Amino acid sequence: MTIVDVDAHYLEDYTVLADYLDEPVRSRIRNQPQGWLVPNSTGDRYLSGRINRDRDVPGTNPRRTQPDEVPRIMEFLGVDISVQISNLMLTLPNMNSRELAVGLCQGYAEYMIDKVCDPAKGVFSTVIVPTQDPAKAADLVRRYGRAPGMSSVTFITQWAQPPLGDIHYDPIYEASAEVGLPIVYHASGAGLDHFLIDGFQKFIETYTLGFLFHNLATLVSVIVQGLPERFPSLRFIFQESGIAYLPGIMYRLDEAYLKRRSEAPLLTKLPSEYIRSFYFGTQPLERPENDEHLAAIFDMVDAEDRLVFATDYPHFDYDRPSAITTLPFVSEEGKRKILGDNALSVYRFDGWTPPERETSPLVAGVAR
Amino acid sequence: MSAPATRLVRVAPTADIAPGERRIVEVDGRSIGVFNLGDGFSAIANVCVHQGGPVCWGRVEPRVHAEVMPGGEVRESLSPAPDTIACPWHGWEYDVRTGTCLANPRKALRTFPVVVRDGDVYLEIAERAS
């Protein structure tokens, strides 16, 4: 069995990314304090140190990833392929500066290709697109999207305006279709403490709602604006919100579409049918006490063919492969597809060949 | 039916586990945390029921309580002594004495009896059926 982690985070040093850029953006990025460069939000994800990664992988720095640490982290997680996604850029859409957003994405792509990606060892990354400047984002997709190690094109969905199904972003979708990479929509913690409704008191509130809201907004926009019809070769993967929200939006949007089809004339089938053609990262997978409830959701979203396993390591809510291996209602074949085969068919993992062993040894260790 | 057979497994001299400290030991291939809580010892399995994390490496801290005061103010307080352990992987909290999961009392860590005898701390372990 091949285990693919479609979402793990690389904790990069942005001053190193700047080395790949031309002046004056190079100095503007390198010399900025991080808090000014990409505004983050308050709220300690790690509960003031209660949750910590210090003991996970001995000899690594849990606050700043080094390229050679990635295979050891993958071994700790029990995964064969890992898509490393920038940690810093998870707040990208909060930036007003187009030139700095484009510069960071360019520096990130260059750095990952130069230092981190190692297809033979299963280490891959993704082209992150600065939604602030669709034309330049499309240039980045064309320039780096064919590089070995680049598995996909990633939008950070938090606060992207207009919503991501809009024709405003067509240059990015055109370029992605051209290089043959799937589209990842990655919800993130950016600005969660400044949720649409101000005044939530605790991170648990904005965390629970924020990821979900931005995935819902993206799903609705992508479907109603007819993106799958306008770019039929593109495949779409939504990450970071679990899966329990999907039946709700599927059937609510179907209901609205049946009444207001004239507002979405590009569609050729029910919204829920589009959703069942999309892929969804599993993390953080919900575990209702009654397994039958989760089994029903799996059935509604065609889970065995559409879910792609993700850890989100090292974030506080990361999942291990045991989140899937312990599901009593999923067949062995279904687990194999969710843990790896679905991702192998939708992402581009050129340069990777399966090892000869049958199962990932660490997965056996944590399967309980 | 007779009580299942048990044996005592020596953990450490009592003086080696000071109040507030812990010792994590391997017994029959299982990792078990033994905690000196000041007023006694407790022992819990070092395997979080969530995703198998090393819960016994986690912080032992007082529990956060809250009550609604007359007038509606919500007043939070901490229990007087550390009584709660949180798994370092994802933060699941347990009563360090009973192993009960605070957020869902239907889930619990396995616990083991601790015996203090003649200056040593022992775990009482059930003999495995052969």
Side-chain angles (χ1 to χ4, degrees):
Chain A
M1 184 191 299
T2 298
I3 302 201
V4 180
D5 174 7
V6 298
D7 179 32
H9 291 286
Y10 192 92
L11 281 57
E12 75 274 44
D13 177 351
Y14 68 93
T15 62
V16 173
L17 307 188
D19 291 344
Y20 293 92
L21 304 175
D22 295 330
E23 294 290 6
V25 175
R26 177 182 194 160
S27 297
R28 285 180 187 156
I29 288 178
R30 181 192 284 150
N31 300 333
Q32 289 259 12
Q34 183 165 332
W36 289 102
L37 187 61
V38 275
N40 207 329
S41 51
T42 55
D44 180 19
R45 275 67 170 160
Y46 294 89
L47 288 162
S48 304
R50 174 180 280 180
I51 297 171
N52 77 74
R53 304 280 171 250
D54 293 347
R55 289 176 183 273
D56 285 1
V57 186
T60 62
N61 178 350
R63 280 159 284 280
R64 186 71 86 204
T65 316
Q66 299 300 323
D68 63 346
E69 294 174 359
V70 176
R72 279 188 284 155
I73 293 168
M74 291 166 62
E75 192 183 351
F76 166 73
L77 295 169
V79 303
D80 303 297
I81 291 177
S82 176
V83 180
Q84 296 281 312
I85 299 180
S86 163
N87 205 59
L88 178 72
M89 244 77 83
L90 295 178
T91 54
L92 187 75
N94 278 14
M95 299 176 69
N96 284 328
S97 166
R98 279 188 297 275
E99 67 167 8
L100 296 186
V102 171
L104 278 175
C105 290
Q106 180 185 342
Y108 177 76
E110 295 257 5
Y111 170 75
M112 295 307 277
I113 292 166
D114 184 27
K115 302 282 194 212
V116 182
C117 291
D118 190 345
K121 289 183 177 164
V123 183
F124 289 85
S125 190
T126 182
V127 182
I128 299 175
V129 288
T131 48
Q132 291 91 337
D133 192 334
K136 289 219 166 59
D139 290 344
L140 297 182
V141 171
R142 288 193 177 90
R143 196 179 320 162
Y144 303 111
R146 292 185 178 90
M150 287 301 185
S151 65
S152 48
V153 170
T154 294
F155 288 77
I156 308 299
T157 61
Q158 228 76 3
W159 307 119
Q161 295 186 62
L164 291 167
D166 197 276
I167 57 168
H168 179 67
Y169 305 104
D170 278 5
I172 307 177
Y173 293 119
E174 277 166 20
S176 303
E178 209 176 287
V179 300
L181 291 179
I183 299 295
V184 172
Y185 294 113
H186 189 291
S188 79
L192 277 187
D193 298 307
H194 313 287
F195 191 64
L196 298 173
I197 304 165
D198 274 340
F200 286 110
Q201 298 294 306
K202 299 289 186 185
F203 185 66
I204 184 176
E205 298 172 280
T206 49
Y207 160 78
T208 302
L209 293 168
F211 286 79
L212 198 60
F213 172 78
H214 291 283
N215 263 14
L216 289 168
T218 304
L219 269 173
V220 169
S221 174
V222 163
I223 293 170
V224 173
Q225 296 305 312
L227 204 58
E229 297 294 340
R230 292 190 288 119
F231 295 94
S233 72
L234 285 181
R235 290 191 282 183
F236 304 95
I237 304 138
F238 294 76
Q239 291 181 349
E240 288 257 9
S241 298
I243 64 165
Y245 69 106
L246 292 170
I249 194 63
M250 285 164 74
Y251 301 123
R252 179 165 170 82
L253 194 50
D254 280 0
E255 191 62 25
Y257 176 67
L258 290 165
K259 293 165 184 151
R260 308 181 69 87
R261 195 214 57 84
S262 63
E263 291 187 330
L266 280 177
L267 305 200
T268 58
K269 53 189 176 186
L270 287 171
S272 61
E273 294 177 272
Y274 287 101
I275 291 178
R276 266 192 288 274
S277 75
F278 298 158
Y279 294 82
F280 295 91
T282 51
Q283 180 276 340
L285 187 66
E286 301 89 346
R287 276 306 288 268
E289 283 192 76
N290 185 339
D291 285 324
E292 288 176 20
H293 295 174
L294 188 59
I297 296 171
F298 266 56
D299 186 41
M300 287 186 267
V301 303
D302 199 9
E304 293 199 3
D305 288 320
R306 295 299 169 204
L307 297 191
V308 286
F309 172 69
T311 66
D312 194 34
Y313 188 81
H315 291 165
F316 87 95
D317 52 350
Y318 88 98
D319 275 341
R320 301 182 66 85
S322 62
I324 307 301
T325 58
T326 56
L327 296 173
F329 53 84
V330 181
S331 68
E332 287 309 305
E333 191 201 351
K335 289 176 183 174
R336 186 181 289 260
K337 286 156 92 175
I338 293 169
L339 282 167
D341 291 355
N342 293 341
L344 289 171
S345 75
V346 67
Y347 285 76
R348 195 182 67 202
F349 294 128
D350 287 355
W352 183 81
T353 49
E356 307 217 332
R357 63 189 161 70
E358 177 52 15
T359 43
S360 201
L362 278 175
V363 173
V366 297
R368 37 174 307 284
Chain B
M1 265 178 64
S2 59
T6 62
R7 65 194 161 93
L8 295 182
V9 176
R10 185 169 171 274
V11 175
T14 312
D16 284 7
I17 313 176
E21 293 190 352
R22 75 195 73 178
R23 183 67 63 90
I24 295 171
V25 295
E26 293 277 332
V27 180
D28 298 340
R30 284 182 303 213
S31 182
I32 299 172
V34 182
F35 297 81
N36 184 344
L37 303 169
D39 57 355
F41 285 84
S42 77
I44 52 180
N46 190 18
V47 183
C48 183
V49 301
H50 172 222
Q51 291 189 357
V55 57
C56 291
W57 291 111
R59 285 191 187 171
V60 180
E61 295 176 319
R63 190 169 309 177
V64 179
H65 301 274
E67 61 181 319
V68 182
M69 307 304 288
E73 180 200 355
V74 176
R75 186 172 295 174
E76 293 193 354
S77 61
L78 297 179
S79 51
D83 55 3
T84 300
I85 189 162
C87 180
W89 275 9
H90 305 94
W92 278 42
E93 292 176 274
Y94 301 90
D95 186 304
V96 73
R97 286 182 178 78
T98 65
T100 304
C101 176
L102 299 195
N104 183 350
R106 289 180 296 279
K107 295 179 186 287
L109 299 172
R110 184 161 179 192
T111 59
F112 302 86
V114 180
V115 174
V116 178
R117 184 180 294 170
D118 301 331
D120 284 316
V121 180
Y122 295 86
L123 281 171
E124 190 177 321
I125 301 291
E127 294 289 1
R128 284 189 166 169
S130 54

